[in-house]
Structures are given as structure tokens and as C-alpha cells.
Amino acid sequence: MNTLAAVMQLLVAAAFVSIPIVRHRFGPAAKAAAVAELRRQNVRPEVLEENRLRFDAGGHETAAPAAVAAIMIAVAALNLAGAGLAQPLTWIFSSLVILMNVVIVYSNLTAVKSVQAAFRRKGDPELARVEVAPFLEAAEGAFPGWVRAQTYVRNTIVFAGSAIALIAVTLT
């Protein structure tokens, strides 16, 4: 059962690594589409840079998924080695991954409202004028159609893989 847990944890790690890979590959196109939408709205595109808004895989968009992947790989290695720490660490980190993914899915589902609120909090009057829904739609539209399916698959792997890992170490 430890092997099953490890395989699931490695799949979860791969799912998290896919996030910055996709953003790195298609982030520049998303930014270009967002800039075009800002121009359509008569908002200076420089407002993105001035407020450190990014569409690429920089900063926490890479660091957070990479950290999750590294932790899941380490715990998978402990499971494969049959280490005593594997079970409690699987319980801790697989549970945290499930909770983090719930937050990610929620933020994706409420993106327009949360971005509107974030733009208001920035205190930049020009940023506050941005019509967020078409802005986000433009950026999202720059990603290939398969990215939406990949997102569903990634979320399924994260939720199911983490749950299976938890069950596997519990039955060990």
C-alpha cells in the first residue's frame, strides 16, 4: 500500500509542476491578450507592470507549485522506503494538498469577484476602472482549449490521488 501511496503522491507532484509549465509556455500570449483588452477599455497597459500583475510563471506561480511537488516527492520517497514517518507525513501533506486545491478551485470559480476586490485594494484609480470579466476572458482565451481539460484532469489527480494516498497509508 505504501507503493500505491507513493505513486499517487508522484502523480500529485506532476500535476502541480504542470501549473508553471503551462503558465511559462502560454503566459506571454495571455499577457498580450490582456494588454489588448486594456487598450480596448482605454486603460494604459503599463498599469499591469506598475501593479506587478503577471500572467507568466514568475514568482509564487512557480515557487508554490514547485514546493508542493518537492514535498510530495519527498514523502513519496519515504513511502517507497517504508519509513515510519511516511504515514504521518502523508496524512499531513496529502490533507494540506486537498485543502490547498479546494482554495485554488474556489479562487478560479470566483476569479472575477476576487480580482475586482484585489484591484480596488491596490488603490490605483486606473486599475479600479478595469472591466475585470472581459479582461480575464481575454487572458484565458489566449490559452489553448486543451488547457481547460488539463485543469480538470489536474484537479482530479490532485483530489483523487491525495485521497487514495491517505486511504493507502491508513490501510498499511
Side-chain angles (χ1 to χ4, degrees), residues 122-149:
K122 291 272 188 181
D124 183 326
E126 191 167 23
L127 194 59
R129 289 190 307 112
V130 173
E131 295 173 43
V132 173
F135 171 74
L136 292 178
E137 287 169 11
E140 185 178 310
F143 288 91
W146 60 262
V147 171
R148 181 173 294 277

Side-chain angles (χ1 to χ4, degrees), residues 22-23 26 140 142-154:
V22 169
R23 288 183 67 100
F26 301 106
E140 185 178 310
F143 288 91
W146 60 262
V147 171
R148 181 173 294 277
Q150 184 255 0
T151 300
Y152 295 138
V153 169
R154 185 184 71 238

Side-chain angles (χ1 to χ4, degrees), residues 31-49:
K31 180 180 178 181
V35 164
E37 176 58 26
L38 289 177
R39 285 191 175 114
R40 189 195 67 74
Q41 294 181 25
N42 293 316
V43 175
R44 291 179 314 107
E46 295 80 14
V47 75
L48 294 176
E49 298 296 326

Side-chain angles (χ1 to χ4, degrees), residues 11-32:
L11 287 172
V12 169
F16 270 90
V17 168
S18 73
I19 297 168
I21 290 172
V22 169
R23 288 183 67 100
H24 174 73
R25 172 66 180 89
F26 301 106
K31 180 180 178 181

Side-chain angles (χ1 to χ4, degrees), residues 100-149:
M100 284 187 304
N101 213 53
V102 166
V103 171
I104 291 168
V105 169
Y106 178 79
S107 71
N108 289 342
L109 293 173
T110 60
V112 172
K113 286 175 63 176
S114 62
V115 170
Q116 286 170 332
F119 281 8
R120 280 193 303 272
R121 279 193 309 272
K122 291 272 188 181
D124 183 326
E126 191 167 23
L127 194 59
R129 289 190 307 112
V130 173
E131 295 173 43
V132 173
F135 171 74
L136 292 178
E137 287 169 11
E140 185 178 310
F143 288 91
W146 60 262
V147 171
R148 181 173 294 277

